[in-house]
Amino acid sequence: MKGRRKGAVVSLLLALCLCLSGCGNTKIVLTTGLASDELFRIGEVSCGLPEALIYLLNQKGSYEEVYGIEMWEYDIGDMTMEDYLKNQVISELAQVKSMVLLAGEQEILLTEEETARAQKAAAEYFASLSPQEADVLKTDQEMVEAMYRDYCLAFKTYRQITEDVSIEISEDEARIILLQQMLLPEEHLAEELRERLEEGEDFGSLASNYSKLSQTTVSVARGDKSGEYEEVAFDLDNEEISRVFPGDGGYYILKCLDTYLEEESEANKVQVAQRQKTERFQGIYEDLMKDTLSEFQEKLWQEVRFADYEEVQTRSFFDFYQKYFGD
């Protein structure tokens, strides 16, 4: 259950590729103009301190299950592990709230079934809290239900924008080729070796003796290499040796072994399509966020310390999310 829970949450937040401090042209203001327990606001979407605490302390509990409470004694560079997790949490929550804002813009709504799932998850999670924990967290079942709705909506919005698009990928766009390569320090040496290759000497043997590269045989997809490397490589026929061309501080010679690796190319179609869908999503997101004001009560968040919440042992928030919304 631990692995599935963390995997589901991480996969969403990594997929979104967004954070409060990196929202493109979003205007971010450190402010005290929010309500006393309002941690941040992105456009018209708000996140209160109680919601952030639930997220933070459940993340804390999940980490402790795996690494033990001793992990908080260590630092990451000049940052404590506690502050590191707090930074992660505020970033992740900003991702979710940004997606809620985008859902409104795209008119994406939860179904009645999804809303009912959020209600059930909230009822079970809130019942798992002791009265003391609920009091310290200043939360109630209604707030927890809203959190589950937001997380579900964030998933749904990203998936709907990226998956409900039909993208045709040509064989050439997805083509992966098999090459031999060598990189030589001087042009005159490269030209000399190319002549020897044309005379029939073995590419691998010459590469092992002269090339600056540790790997001679490579598979290459479009976008893997610099412009000239790709242009030269994808213009070669089977067994053809390229001209000498500059790159990466030396001079390349390529030989094409296979102009189309069928199995790898077919698999690459999926990746190319997903990349194009993600680019489409980012365009929609950036267009929405470029004029959106984000406000953040940094001092309020800085004042949160784990030592003030030792009586709070909750760690099942994401378990219940996975139970009702996991695949």
Side-chain angles (χ1 to χ4, degrees), residues 1-115:
M1 175 64 78
K2 293 179 191 175
R4 292 183 64 202
R5 176 184 66 241
K6 295 185 75 173
V9 175
V10 169
S11 64
L12 165 65
L13 298 170
L14 288 180
L16 302 185
C17 296
L18 309 168
C19 68
L20 185 61
S21 60
C23 291
N25 297 320
T26 305
K27 302 176 182 68
I28 301 174
V29 178
L30 302 182
T31 180
T32 56
L34 301 173
S36 60
D37 65 346
E38 190 176 13
L39 186 57
F40 69 83
R41 178 182 292 270
I42 301 176
E44 298 301 316
V45 180
S46 175
C47 178
L49 180 60
E51 179 176 352
L53 286 174
I54 289 177
Y55 197 100
L56 175 67
L57 296 174
N58 274 273
Q59 289 272 42
K60 172 179 176 287
S62 295
Y63 277 108
E64 289 175 352
E65 282 184 322
V66 178
Y67 303 110
I69 61 174
E70 298 83 5
M71 68 174 291
W72 309 116
E73 299 173 7
Y74 297 94
D75 296 339
I76 299 180
D78 58 355
M79 183 182 297
T80 66
M81 282 295 298
E82 179 175 347
D83 285 333
Y84 174 80
L85 181 58
K86 286 173 62 182
N87 285 347
Q88 289 295 108
V89 163
I90 203 67
S91 177
E92 292 167 4
L93 278 169
Q95 293 163 11
V96 171
K97 295 300 183 179
S98 296
M99 295 305 296
V100 172
L101 182 67
L102 184 56
E105 179 74 13
Q106 296 289 308
E107 298 184 348
I108 298 172
L109 302 172
L110 297 183
T111 63
E112 291 184 4
E113 180 187 359
E114 289 164 338
T115 300

Side-chain angles (χ1 to χ4, degrees), residues 147-183:
M147 290 179 66
Y148 281 128
R149 289 199 304 268
D150 281 353
Y151 296 137
C152 178
L153 192 56
F155 269 106
K156 185 173 184 175
T157 300
Y158 180 77
R159 286 173 175 168
Q160 188 161 317
I161 291 175
T162 58
E163 294 180 5
D164 292 353
V165 179
S166 177
I167 295 178
E168 293 293 330
I169 305 299
S170 69
E171 287 191 356
D172 190 60
E173 285 180 284
R175 182 160 61 107
I176 294 181
I177 60 179
L178 186 66
L179 301 172
Q180 286 181 306
Q181 60 176 3
M182 65 173 80
L183 180 63

